[in-house]
């Protein structure tokens, strides 16, 4: 290892963002350490390719067993690794599930952040370790009156979280800011709006839709059941967003940044775009629980689909006790980072649908 080689520690490395960030940091010449949870079945699918590549040379990529609910392993790993940068991406990240496990989410997503900050404070490493905290647009809660004059959420917009996930993450946000101010620790919040990819977990709405598009096109699924089609999200690509995380930690002064596209889209329209990507045109009718979408045209001769068949229905079991109706972020400040996303929504949908079609065809 060269003496100038930077060392990064990534919690949540087995997740969507962790896997893209690990690739980016390795490309940039970092030594990357990741924290993975012990599980009874494999949980490293998103990073196996990195592990295998690195196995040949076996120098720059190391995984450590650990959990954000356990201070002892957090302290030990940080002491062993002596990181220049820590990216705290580990979290129970599913908003709907957070209503079922609120205490666990508070422990992992809220107190887990404190454990990282406190370990860095206690250990007094020789290096001035920089910390990135994975904050979220869920902090805003989607209240219309809290948008800025231009109609966006920005770094100064008030927070009003609407789920145990959002409430836990707001603790993570403020404790990060407090450790920066109280102890002069270089710690930043990236307030990231939704970002997706072919590696997105299959129960988040975009991936659920692109997988169902592929499965319905190939005759493997009859119908896609969704919850609230009327909410709106500002969707970017995870590959672009991990680049922003890295840039946030390269600035002279530690600050918080909104990372977003500035464009918002209804869930219903994402469904439309996804099926259109496979050559299937849908028409929606009805409202709320009674809303459905049927096939009105299919211009892909590969797929044997019945025109008029209903392929999307609403199932209220996917509704949330409190919903975030609208998210749209103001990316103005992120321009200071020199950050420009490479993907737009069309490019994102195209890549996700193509990937899911390929996965399902391979497993035919
Ligand atoms: P993800 O795919 O759900 O990944 C979450 C990661 O956290 C996984 O590696 C998971 O491990 C790990 N994890 C869960 N519980 C843990 C625990 N108790 N201790 C240690 N690690 C634990 O999430 P993501 O989409 O990559 O998001 C990364 C981070 O950004 C999260 O903090 C999320 O809340 C935040 N965020 C995401 C978005 C978005 O749109 N994707 C937007 C804003 C903020 P397993 O693989 O073992 O489950
Ligand atoms: O839901 C609606 C749902 O679960 C998006 C996490 O990464 O981004 C993510 O949180 C919208 C909501 O993401 C279904 O009600 C309709 O309005 O894909 P989602 P999320 O809740 O926005 C933020 C920024 C994070 O920080 C989180 O970690 O889609 N929706 N029907 C549905 N959602 C799901 N999951 N499943 C449905 O069937």
């Amino acid at each position: 290892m060269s003496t100038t080689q930077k060392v990064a520690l990534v919690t949540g490395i087995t997740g969507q963002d962790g896997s893209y960030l690990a690739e980016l940091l390795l490309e940039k010449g970092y030594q990357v350490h990741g924290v993975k949870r012990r599980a009874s079945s494999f949980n490293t699918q998103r990073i196996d390719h990195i592990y295998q590549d690195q196995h040949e040379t076996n120098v720059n990529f190391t995984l450590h067993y650990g959990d954000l609910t356990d201070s002892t392993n957090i302290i030990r790993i940080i002491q062993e690794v002596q990181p220049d940068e820590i990216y705290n991406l580990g979290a129970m990240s599913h908003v709907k599930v957070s209503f079922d496990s609120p205490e666990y989410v508070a422990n992992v997503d809220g107190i887990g952040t404190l454990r990282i900050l406190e370990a860095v404070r206690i250990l007094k490493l020789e290096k001035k370790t920089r910390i990135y905290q994975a904050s979220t647009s869920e902090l805003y809660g989607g209240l219309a009156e809290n948008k800025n004059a231009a109609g966006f959420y920005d770094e100064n917009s008030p927070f009003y979280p609407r789920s145990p996930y959002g409430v836990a993450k707001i603790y993570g946000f403020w404790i990060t800011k407090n450790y920066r101010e109280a102890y002069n620790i270089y710690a930043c919040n990236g307030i990231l709006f939704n970002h997706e990819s072919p590696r997105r977990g299959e129960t988040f709405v975009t991936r659920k839709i692109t997988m169902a598009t592929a499965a319905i096109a190939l005759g493997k699924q009859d119908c896609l059941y969704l919850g609230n089609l009327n909410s709106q999200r500002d969707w970017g690509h995870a590959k672009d967003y991990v680049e922003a995380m890295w840039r946030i930690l390269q600035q002279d002064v530690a600050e918080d940044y909104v990372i977003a596209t500035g464009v918002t889209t209804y869930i219903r329209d994402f469904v439309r775009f996804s099926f259109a990507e496979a050559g299937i045109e849908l028409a929606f009718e009805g409202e709320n629980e009674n809303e459905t979408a049927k096939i009105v045209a299919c211009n892909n001769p590969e797929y044997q689909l019945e025109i008029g068949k209903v392929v999307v229905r609403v199932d209220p079991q996917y509704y949330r006790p409190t919903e975030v109706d609208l998210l749209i972020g103001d990316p103005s400040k992120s321009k200071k980072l020199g950050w420009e996303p490479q993907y737009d929504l069309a490019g994102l949908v195209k890549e996700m649908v193509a990937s899911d079609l390929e996965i399902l065809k391979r497993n035919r």
Side-chain angles (χ1 to χ4, degrees):
M1 185 189 109
S2 98
T3 49
T4 54
Q5 186 179 28
K6 278 201 181 170
V7 180
L9 176 65
V10 181
T11 71
I13 197 154
T14 57
Q16 170 187 253
D17 292 4
S19 65
Y20 284 113
L21 181 66
E23 287 169 0
L24 179 83
L25 294 172
L26 286 167
E27 260 168 49
K28 292 191 179 296
Y30 280 66
Q31 186 179 86
V32 176
H33 293 259
V35 179
K36 72 164 178 175
R37 297 193 290 172
R38 194 272 157 183
S40 65
S41 47
F42 293 115
N43 60 355
T44 54
Q45 297 88 326
R46 293 187 180 101
I47 50 170
D48 281 344
H49 62 289
I50 307 178
Y51 195 70
Q52 276 147 18
D53 284 355
Q54 293 293 312
H55 223 65
E56 323 260 297
T57 46
N58 204 14
V59 277
N60 285 330
F61 189 68
T62 312
L63 294 178
H64 306 255
Y65 281 110
D67 197 295
L68 282 162
T69 58
D70 179 348
S71 299
T72 62
N73 66 58
I74 299 294
I75 294 171
R76 179 179 45 74
I77 294 168
I78 294 177
Q79 181 150 45
E80 268 172 36
V81 170
Q82 302 267 321
D84 294 280
E85 295 168 13
I86 298 176
Y87 295 86
N88 183 32
L89 310 186
M92 200 310 283
S93 73
H94 203 286
V95 173
K96 173 78 159 63
V97 174
S98 78
F99 288 95
D100 300 323
S101 307
E103 182 181 340
Y104 176 70
V105 172
N107 194 4
V108 179
D109 300 16
I111 307 297
T113 310
L114 173 68
R115 292 186 181 102
I116 299 272
L117 290 159
E118 190 57 6
V120 168
R121 184 174 81 91
I122 294 168
L123 288 169
K124 297 193 174 64
L125 305 180
E126 246 172 70
K127 294 170 177 172
K128 190 166 162 53
T129 302
R130 297 183 168 201
I131 302 169
Y132 173 88
Q133 168 57 17
S135 286
T136 164
S137 52
E138 284 292 304
L139 301 183
Y140 298 116
L143 264 62
E145 62 270 30
N146 287 345
K147 287 188 286 181
N148 66 21
F152 299 96
Y153 297 101
D154 63 27
E155 290 79 4
N156 299 313
S157 303
F159 295 143
Y160 196 111
R162 301 261 293 160
S163 64
Y165 169 80
V167 174
K169 282 281 185 179
I170 214 164
Y171 178 85
F173 175 91
W174 283 112
I175 200 69
T176 299
K177 205 169 161 107
N178 179 247
Y179 269 55
R180 178 166 81 216
E181 292 170 358
Y183 305 116
N184 194 27
I185 289 177
Y186 188 112
C188 306
N189 288 288
I191 308 171
L192 270 51
F193 282 63
N194 298 52
H195 45 280
E196 320 293 314
S197 74
R199 297 184 197 169
R200 186 57 142 154
E202 292 167 17
T203 60
F204 295 95
V205 79
T206 56
R207 186 76 197 288
K208 187 172 165 182
I209 294 167
T210 61
M211 284 200 60
T213 301
I216 289 169
L218 296 171
K220 290 174 174 246
Q221 183 175 334
D222 274 338
C223 186
L224 164 63
Y225 292 89
L226 291 170
N228 180 12
L229 301 177
N230 294 317
S231 60
Q232 294 167 266
R233 288 293 181 273
D234 177 333
W235 281 301
H237 196 299
K239 212 170 175 181
D240 283 331
Y241 283 41
V242 300
E243 162 97 27
M245 294 177 189
W246 174 76
R247 285 178 183 264
I248 287 173
L249 287 199
Q250 310 314 308
Q251 305 307 304
D252 291 339
V253 179
E255 286 180 34
D256 304 326
Y257 293 85
V258 161
I259 304 297
T261 69
V263 176
T264 196
T265 306
Y266 283 102
I267 309 300
R268 181 182 300 100
D269 287 331
F270 192 98
V271 176
R272 231 191 282 276
F273 299 153
S274 177
F275 278 83
E277 196 50 51
I280 304 164
E281 191 189 329
L282 298 183
F284 283 82
E285 58 193 24
E287 278 181 22
N288 303 321
E289 280 92 301
N290 297 319
E291 184 164 358
T292 58
K294 64 182 179 201
I295 299 174
V296 289
C298 176
N299 65 24
N300 190 328
E302 233 188 289
Y303 309 138
Q304 311 296 311
L305 296 171
E306 180 194 330
I307 304 303
K309 184 177 177 192
V310 171
V311 287
V312 182
R313 291 183 193 277
V314 170
D315 183 341
Q317 73 159 303
Y318 298 113
Y319 289 169
R320 292 153 189 209
T322 38
E323 175 64 285
V324 172
D325 294 317
L326 164 71
L327 288 174
I328 180 164
D330 182 346
S332 308
K333 185 177 175 189
S334 69
K335 301 300 162 208
K336 268 189 17 187
L337 300 168
W339 178 74
E340 274 301 330
Q342 303 300 305
Y343 285 84
D344 61 8
L345 185 64
L348 172 70
V349 175
K350 191 179 177 66
E351 191 180 300
M352 290 180 73
V353 172
S355 168
D356 283 330
L357 278 166
E358 200 207 304
I359 290 170
L360 291 190
K361 283 180 184 169
R362 215 186 305 134
N363 298 335
R364 208 195 295 250

